[in-house]
Amino acid sequence: MSRSDRLIRLMQVLRRLPSPVTASRLAEEMEISERSIYRDIQSLRSSGAIIDAEAGFGYTLTEDPSLPPMHFDADEVDALALGLHTVSKLGNSEFTHAAQNALVKLEASLPQNMRQRLRHATVGSHIMRNTPFSEADFSGLRESIWNEQAVFLEYFDLNDRCSKRKVWPLTIYFFNEVQALIAWCCLRQDFRMFRLDRIRSMEFLDEFFRPKRVGLLREYFEREKECE
């Protein structure tokens, strides 16, 4: 691999890995020495990349619109096509529209040969399922997740028993047949999952739990991994 290709790959790794990322983690990902990482980081900085470093924590890349965009290779274009086409078939009207718009924008940004690759991708998906209808405010719920805003739910379980909970919404997950909110339940002081089609009403509260969302999500997924 040429040094220029290695620098481009390092930029992509910095974009992909959660920041801050240590030199040892970068070296492991790039399969080079930590000393080479230090030199390459300095070269990227000299070229205009904004890469902050904090002792004991690692590097953080700040995207700069003045830098040239990264180009997608054939595998990445196929992966993007598969992902966006799959999202457009999930039965969620907002994401269907968003995925279609994203495909148009992506195609416009690609060179001609990759546009053809996107239009005639070598992979595809087919989803045969009926997603239960949900009256939940999907857009409002996503915004409350991003803002780390508490939500009061009126929820009916599978036995149609009603409960009212204040929760800290963490993420919405798309499963095979349902969409569900993963949240921290303030009543139970534990993680809970709420199917969107079983939520009857939501109230967005003037209460925020920032900056706990990332840590709680990490803990949730660690627990899930232990149960596998």
Side-chain angles (χ1 to χ4, degrees):
M1 181 188 299
S2 68
R3 189 160 189 271
S4 60
D5 287 341
R6 193 175 77 226
L7 292 176
I8 291 174
R9 185 184 170 202
L10 178 56
M11 282 286 287
Q12 191 65 11
V13 169
L14 284 166
R15 286 184 167 103
R16 177 168 53 83
L17 294 179
S19 59
V21 55
T22 63
S24 61
R25 180 70 180 90
L26 290 171
E28 177 186 356
E29 186 77 16
M30 296 287 296
E31 297 181 337
I32 59 178
S33 67
E34 288 188 37
R35 180 170 294 182
S36 294
I37 290 293
Y38 298 140
R39 287 198 299 264
D40 288 350
I41 290 288
Q42 188 55 47
S43 295
L44 289 173
R45 285 170 167 166
S46 299
S47 299
I50 304 173
I51 304 174
D52 296 322
E54 187 174 354
F57 291 93
Y59 296 103
T60 299
L61 173 66
T62 301
E63 294 289 357
D64 187 342
S66 66
L67 293 175
M70 301 293 289
H71 296 295
F72 297 111
D73 63 25
D75 286 347
E76 291 166 343
V77 168
D78 277 354
L80 287 166
L82 175 62
L84 289 171
H85 281 301
T86 301
V87 169
S88 70
K89 300 173 185 177
L90 288 177
N92 181 285
S93 59
E94 293 179 36
F95 274 11
T96 296
H97 184 65
Q100 291 168 347
N101 282 344
L103 272 170
V104 171
K105 292 178 181 178
L106 177 61
E107 182 177 340
S109 70
L110 292 173
Q112 184 59 37
N113 64 321
M114 285 302 172
R115 290 183 191 178
Q116 292 296 108
R117 185 90 187 192
L118 183 67
R119 290 172 188 162
H120 309 289
T122 61
V123 291
S125 65
H126 183 62
I127 298 175
M128 296 182 63
R129 62 179 174 82
N130 293 316
T131 303
F133 175 75
S134 171
E135 296 179 351
D137 182 354
F138 188 74
S139 293
L141 189 55
R142 286 168 51 216
E143 194 67 18
S144 70
I145 290 170
W146 183 252
N147 292 329
E148 300 182 53
Q149 179 182 12
V151 179
F152 188 80
L153 302 179
E154 183 181 12
Y155 184 78
F156 285 80
D157 64 19
L158 294 178
N159 295 315
D160 282 331
R161 293 175 300 200
C162 178
S163 64
K164 297 180 180 181
R165 309 281 184 91
K166 182 176 75 173
V167 303
W168 293 349
L170 303 177
T171 188
I172 297 171
Y173 247 61
F174 285 71
F175 294 93
N176 288 335
E177 296 182 354
V178 298
Q179 302 160 17
L181 170 68
I182 297 171
W184 176 263
C185 177
C186 297
L187 175 65
R188 302 302 183 191
Q189 289 294 293
D190 203 354
F191 298 105
R192 290 292 186 271
M193 189 179 296
F194 303 92
R195 282 177 43 167
L196 297 194
D197 61 299
R198 310 295 297 182
I199 296 175
R200 290 296 178 266
S201 66
M202 290 188 298
E203 179 186 353
F204 302 106
L205 306 177
D206 293 327
E207 177 184 332
F208 298 86
F209 57 98
R210 188 178 296 114
K212 298 179 180 179
R213 176 176 173 250
V214 172
L216 286 170
L217 265 179
R218 186 182 297 115
E219 181 183 349
Y220 174 82
F221 288 121
E222 285 175 354
R223 286 197 200 178
E224 288 295 297
K225 189 175 182 179
E226 290 174 358
C227 294
E228 291 179 357

